[in-house]
């Protein structure tokens, strides 16, 4: 068994060394953040694709502006900005990502869309390419079933904003042994994880974990379950805050002030919902309610109303709060 683990580690090391390029599908806030972090922190070449070319151009402009802002604040050598930008290539066809050894899907949180994307990725990649979903709630096993190589499919859930949030949830791992060393009140989280998945093979998990670490992330490994860890806990909390507001108990400002003032949280639940995107919150709540079957996960009616009205939070300029463009 030790020899098998050692062989797997060697194989994953070889795979990581070859991974000087990754593909990213989706130029929204998550795909854009992943591209930025991979290019800046991991010195990787990034191939970015989105069905909306104007959205992809907007993503590139946002990355450039963000990098220059880092330079202005002294967090990045200004002379390196264009070098980092040059590592990111916008692509007009999903087929242009076909030679990437690892591709991250970061499309909207809709199961039908993700399954369609993975069917396409399965056709354009070879048998060794690793296909990653950034889904925050949908079953990785279900996504993997859309391909001919589920053993090469894995979940890599980044948190928003990607450039600031340290932890990544890696799935699926239905059976595992794990130990955590906590230092300085969760500021430094180091995990020692050995994983065996139903479909995802060990070399895929190890290689994906190594890529995350190259990007400067800490990897937490979680069983393939609706909402995984973070959103199974976070979303009902946000949902109840929305119900509290809907029932007239308090205003959004008062609700957020009460939570921030009575806890160690830096942001209240409604401001957090606006940051995540109310459409994403609604999609995740629907997955939790549908798959877990408990009414405590029923989406707040007001959340659905806001989404239908186009009030999606920061990205649309208005949610529970109003934002400058």
């Amino acid at each position: 068994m030790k020899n098998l683990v050692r062989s797997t580690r060697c194989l994953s090391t070889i795979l990581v060394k070859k991974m000087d390029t990754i593909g990213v599908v989706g130029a929204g806030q998550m795909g854009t953040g992943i591209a930025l972090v991979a290019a800046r922190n991991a010195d990787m070449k990034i191939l970015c694709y989105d069905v909306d070319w104007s959205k992809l151009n907007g993503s590139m402009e946002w990355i450039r502006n963000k990098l220059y802002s880092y330079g202005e604040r002294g967090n990045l050598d200004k002379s390196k900005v264009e070098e980092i930008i040059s590592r990111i290539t916008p692509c007009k066809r999903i087929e242009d990502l076909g030679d990437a050894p690892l591709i991250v899907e970061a499309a909207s949180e809709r199961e039908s869309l993700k399954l369609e994307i993975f069917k396409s990725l399965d056709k354009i990649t070879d048998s060794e390419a690793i296909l990653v979903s950034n889904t925050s709630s949908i079953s990785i096993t279900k996504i993997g079933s859309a391909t001919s190589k589920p053993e090469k499919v894995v979940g890599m859930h980044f948190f928003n904003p990607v450039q600031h949030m340290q932890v990544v949830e890696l799935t699926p791992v239905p059976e595992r042994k794990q130990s955590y060393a906590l230092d300085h009140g969760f500021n430094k989280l180091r995990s020692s994880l050995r994983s065996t998945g139903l479909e995802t093979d060990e070399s895929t998990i190890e290689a994906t974990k190594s890529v995350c670490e190259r990007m400067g992330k800490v990897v937490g490994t979680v069983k393939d379950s609706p909402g995984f860890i973070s959103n199974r806990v976070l979303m009902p909390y946000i949902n109840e805050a929305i119900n509290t507001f809907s029932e007239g108990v308090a205003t959004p400002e008062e609700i957020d002030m009460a939570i921030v003032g009575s806890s160690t949280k830096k942001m209240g639940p409604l401001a957090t919902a606006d940051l995540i995107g109310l459409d994403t919150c609604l999609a995740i709540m629907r997955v939790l309610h549908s798959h877990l079957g408990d009414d405590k996960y029923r989406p707040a009616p007001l959340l659905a109303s806001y989404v239908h009205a186009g009030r999606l939070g920061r990205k649309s300029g208005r949610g529970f709060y109003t934002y400058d463009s």
Side-chain angles (χ1 to χ4, degrees):
M1 179 60 70
K2 289 183 178 179
N3 289 335
L4 177 60
V5 171
R6 190 178 298 111
S7 297
T8 300
R9 285 178 175 170
C10 291
L11 176 58
S12 66
T13 300
I14 293 172
L15 287 172
V16 171
K17 287 181 178 178
K18 291 181 179 179
M19 285 185 188
D20 58 347
T21 301
I22 67 170
V24 176
V25 178
Q29 57 187 357
M30 297 306 296
T32 300
I34 292 167
L36 167 64
V37 172
R40 181 191 178 191
N41 296 356
D43 295 334
M44 294 179 126
K45 295 179 181 177
I46 318 299
L47 302 174
C48 294
Y49 167 77
D50 195 285
V51 292
D52 186 340
W53 184 250
S54 64
K55 190 174 184 180
L56 196 53
N57 285 330
S59 171
M60 294 295 295
E61 181 180 359
W62 184 89
I63 290 173
R64 177 175 278 103
N65 291 338
K66 181 64 69 173
L67 289 171
Y68 273 111
S69 73
Y70 291 156
E72 292 294 333
R73 295 197 297 267
N75 297 325
L76 178 68
D77 186 338
K78 291 182 181 179
S79 65
K80 293 185 177 180
V81 170
E82 291 303 322
E83 177 188 341
I84 295 172
I85 287 291
S86 70
R87 296 178 193 145
I88 306 173
T89 303
C91 302
K92 291 188 175 181
R93 306 181 310 143
I94 195 170
E95 288 81 4
D96 295 335
L97 278 59
D99 291 333
L102 184 147
I103 301 176
V104 182
E105 167 275 313
S108 299
E109 193 71 357
R110 300 202 313 272
E111 183 177 295
S112 59
L113 175 60
K114 292 183 182 293
L115 294 179
E116 180 182 343
I117 290 172
F118 271 79
K119 286 178 183 178
S120 297
L121 294 177
D122 189 44
K123 293 177 182 177
I124 66 171
T125 56
D126 64 33
S127 60
E128 293 303 314
I130 296 176
L131 304 181
V132 175
S133 178
N134 183 55
T135 180
S136 53
S137 63
I138 299 169
S139 168
I140 297 300
T141 302
K142 180 68 176 291
I143 291 173
S145 70
T147 74
S148 62
K149 49 185 179 188
E151 72 279 1
K152 294 297 178 184
V153 176
V154 65
M156 190 163 69
H157 176 212
F158 291 86
F159 295 87
N160 184 37
V162 178
Q163 63 272 19
H164 297 307
M165 306 302 281
Q166 188 180 17
V167 174
V168 171
E169 288 180 324
L170 192 67
T171 56
V173 192
E175 298 177 21
R176 68 202 187 282
K177 293 181 180 179
Q178 62 183 31
S179 63
Y180 292 108
L182 302 182
D183 185 22
H184 301 306
F186 291 89
N187 286 332
K188 294 181 180 179
L189 169 61
R190 298 183 179 88
S191 55
S192 175
L193 303 163
R194 295 273 27 95
S195 318
T196 56
L198 287 175
E199 296 290 346
T200 308
D201 63 33
E202 184 73 10
S203 64
T204 297
I205 293 171
E206 284 296 308
T208 307
K209 180 182 176 184
S210 295
V211 169
C212 288
E213 290 171 344
R214 281 180 61 184
M215 294 170 70
K217 302 301 182 183
V218 175
V219 180
T221 316
V222 57
K223 180 180 178 180
D224 187 18
S225 179
F228 312 126
I229 297 173
S230 58
N231 283 326
R232 183 161 177 177
V233 175
L234 175 64
M235 287 301 154
Y237 155 75
I238 288 174
N239 198 59
E240 191 57 30
I242 297 171
N243 281 328
T244 302
F245 168 51
S246 179
E247 293 167 9
V249 175
T251 66
E253 292 84 356
E254 290 166 338
I255 292 169
D256 283 350
M257 181 179 65
I259 297 301
V260 171
S262 63
S263 69
T264 58
K265 294 184 179 298
K266 297 180 180 180
M267 183 181 291
L270 299 180
T272 300
D274 277 356
L275 176 63
I276 294 169
L278 302 191
D279 52 338
T280 300
C281 293
L282 178 60
I284 295 170
M285 287 304 301
R286 284 174 171 167
V287 168
L288 293 174
H289 188 230
S290 172
H291 290 271
L292 298 175
D294 193 319
D295 276 351
K296 70 180 180 182
Y297 299 114
R298 185 185 299 277
L302 183 63
L303 174 59
S305 296
Y306 272 32
V307 172
H308 294 155
R311 295 176 60 168
L312 308 181
R314 290 193 183 188
K315 59 186 172 184
S316 69
R318 190 181 182 194
F320 294 102
Y321 300 92
T322 301
Y323 303 89
D324 294 331
S325 59

